[in-house]
Amino acid sequence: MNFALYRELLAVRPIRRLLLVGMVARIPHSAAGVLLTLHIVLSLDQGYAAAGAAAAVMTIGIAVGAPWRGRRVDTVGLRTALIPSVISEAVIWSVVPHVSYQWLLLLVFVGGLLTLPIFSVVRQSLGVLADGDQRRTAFALDAITTEVVFMIGPAAGAIVATSGFTVLGLTIVGVSTSLAGLFLMWFNPPTRSPAQDEECSADQRHAAEAAVVSAAPAHLQEAAAELVPAGATHRGPGLRSKVAHNFAWFTATVAAVFAVAAGAGMVLSGTDVGIVAALETGGRQAEIGIVFLFWCAASVVGGLVYGAMHRPVSPILLLLGMAALTIPMGFAHDTWALAFTAILPGLLCAPVLSSASEKVADLVAEERRGEAMGWYGSALTGGVALGAPLAGVFIDVTGPSGGFVSVGAAGVVLCFAGLILQQRRRGKSPAQ
């Protein structure tokens, strides 16, 4: 690996400033998940199924709003497109901690709908500011900074929540994110090259697609949904042609990769809820950040190692390993045991997501790849939305261990379903 590329990249002031702004802007929402979960469980006296349902509702809101926000950036420019997010972040997250659970669900959906699109804006701008070999390095560096964010945010959120300040914490999340949006509007990084053609090169698009899902396990809630604009804004035929579109690219092998995406999102979002539940139930909420640190750091290491490999590994096998290794987390009895058992599944997080996105890019022709990545994003988002409430239900019924066991087992089942799909494909190959 040529690590000198990182030094050369950081020497470019606009890129350095964009990465710094992106990292700071992500910190508030990285703490929001822990704060919201503990607020629902402790302050509203609801169960973890309810907390998981709120996370799912917010994820759905992000997924629904992502294509619209992406189009607004393209059509009216970054500054105008960010105005609704800047206003809604401050207002909604200041109101959320003061309402009942039913109103909270509505507010977090609207909040997800209008979330500051920091992930997509940073990726879009990096694609303009960096070129050639620098572009892939820039996306990798952005993924690494995201990992750092999710080592800091959940720990900060847990400290605030365990001090009894969930109301203040959620308000700070909204105000801080709104301020980050204002700074982004002032900075106004470029999101479109003056010489941009209607279609970018295959390597550029592949790098952008892979960057969405190659980083921290905890940020899947937003990053998965932010992948939708890649398909939703893809410039292709009109609505009538799209309705009548032939899904010839949707083979059994592609379906298996989509199953992997759904399984990965489900396992990761369920693990997120499981970590919070395991430590909160034992009265160790302040130590949540320790487990997230080990989990996310392992993902960084796994991503760097996988990126240096000369041959790809099947995403189904990687997910099978990650899902199976998540189950033992349910039998950890203290913080450090949970942190150490999080390392092994964490090592496979970035590889399974990177491998799956790479596989879609390899299997689908370039002219259909935008559409395919849109569906891939939908599968990933669907898995994220399912994992949190699934884990929550089992946590409420069987205790914290049920969250890890349920999503881990469900991930294993999806892997075998994917393998069956692949076997059917291989069975047909001689006749093709």
Side-chain angles (χ1 to χ4, degrees):
M1 295 181 68
N2 185 8
F3 290 100
L5 287 173
Y6 291 103
R7 185 176 63 251
E8 295 171 6
L9 191 74
L10 291 173
V12 181
R13 185 179 177 185
I15 293 178
R16 186 173 65 245
R17 183 166 57 178
L18 176 65
L19 289 170
L20 180 61
V21 171
M23 184 172 72
V24 173
R26 288 166 177 157
I27 290 176
H29 267 288
S30 69
V34 172
L35 280 167
L36 187 63
T37 298
L38 291 177
H39 175 73
I40 292 171
V41 173
L42 301 178
S43 300
L44 298 183
D45 200 24
Q46 301 286 331
Y48 280 95
V57 167
M58 185 165 65
T59 302
I60 293 169
I62 295 172
V64 172
W68 167 69
R69 287 177 295 131
R71 285 194 295 271
R72 290 288 290 173
V73 171
D74 287 341
T75 56
V76 302
L78 180 63
R79 285 175 171 166
T80 303
L82 290 185
I83 291 175
S85 295
V86 168
I87 296 172
S88 68
E89 291 281 6
V91 173
I92 290 175
W93 287 100
S94 298
V95 175
V96 160
H98 301 285
V99 299
S100 66
Y101 177 73
Q102 289 73 21
W103 280 104
L104 180 145
L105 289 177
L106 176 62
L107 287 172
V108 296
F109 175 78
V110 177
L113 200 68
L114 298 172
T115 294
L116 186 73
I118 188 65
F119 282 96
S120 59
V121 168
V122 171
R123 288 195 312 272
Q124 227 176 322
S125 187
L126 282 177
V128 175
L129 293 171
D131 55 11
D133 292 337
Q134 279 191 331
R135 183 173 285 111
R136 191 175 298 274
T137 305
F139 285 131
L141 189 57
D142 180 56
I144 292 171
T145 59
T146 304
E147 299 280 7
V148 174
V149 165
F150 279 89
M151 295 176 196
I152 299 171
I159 291 171
V160 172
T162 53
S163 301
F165 298 115
T166 56
V167 172
L168 177 62
L170 288 170
T171 303
I172 291 175
V173 165
V175 173
S176 301
T177 307
S178 182
L179 290 174
L182 288 173
F183 189 79
L184 200 60
M185 291 170 67
W186 172 78
F187 175 28
N188 195 27
T191 56
R192 185 178 294 273
S193 171
Q196 184 181 18
D197 294 325
E198 288 212 354
E199 294 202 16
C200 61
S201 71
D203 285 342
Q204 291 175 9
R205 182 158 50 224
H206 184 196
E209 292 160 353
V212 183
V213 292
S214 63
H219 88 279
L220 263 290
Q221 187 175 25
E222 291 183 64
E226 294 264 359
L227 186 60
V228 176
T233 61
H234 181 65
R235 300 189 181 195
L239 178 62
R240 183 174 299 177
S241 299
K242 286 181 180 178
V243 172
H245 181 67
N246 182 1
F247 282 83
W249 55 267
F250 188 69
T251 63
T253 306
V254 173
V257 178
F258 287 175
V260 169
M266 178 181 61
V267 172
L268 293 171
S269 63
T271 302
D272 192 348
V273 174
I275 290 172
V276 176
L279 296 180
E280 186 276 326
T281 303
R284 301 185 298 273
Q285 302 97 310
E287 299 172 355
I288 289 172
I290 296 173
V291 182
F292 273 88
L293 173 64
F294 277 74
W295 192 32
C296 296
S299 180
V300 172
V301 174
L304 289 173
V305 171
Y306 185 77
M309 293 174 62
H310 297 293
R311 296 181 61 185
V313 180
S314 167
I316 292 181
L317 294 179
L318 290 170
L319 175 60
L320 182 62
M322 185 177 75
L325 290 170
T326 296
I327 295 175
M329 292 179 67
F331 303 99
H333 297 294
D334 56 56
T335 302
W336 290 105
L338 185 61
F340 284 119
T341 53
I343 292 176
L344 290 179
L347 285 170
L348 296 177
C349 169
V352 69
L353 295 168
S354 297
S355 175
S357 60
E358 181 181 8
K359 191 73 172 177
V360 173
D362 290 341
L363 291 170
V364 180
E366 184 178 345
E367 61 270 16
R368 301 288 176 82
R369 196 173 296 151
E371 181 183 3
M373 290 305 297
W375 283 103
Y376 175 83
S378 297
L380 189 58
T381 306
V384 171
L386 176 62
L390 174 65
V393 168
F394 278 87
I395 290 168
D396 286 344
V397 173
T398 65
S401 62
F404 300 112
V405 173
S406 61
V407 295
V412 170
V413 170
L414 274 175
C415 286
F416 282 110
L419 288 171
I420 292 171
L421 284 171
Q422 281 195 339
Q423 288 299 117
R424 289 182 59 186
R425 174 70 178 83
R426 288 173 184 168
K428 295 179 181 180
S429 59
Q432 291 178 346

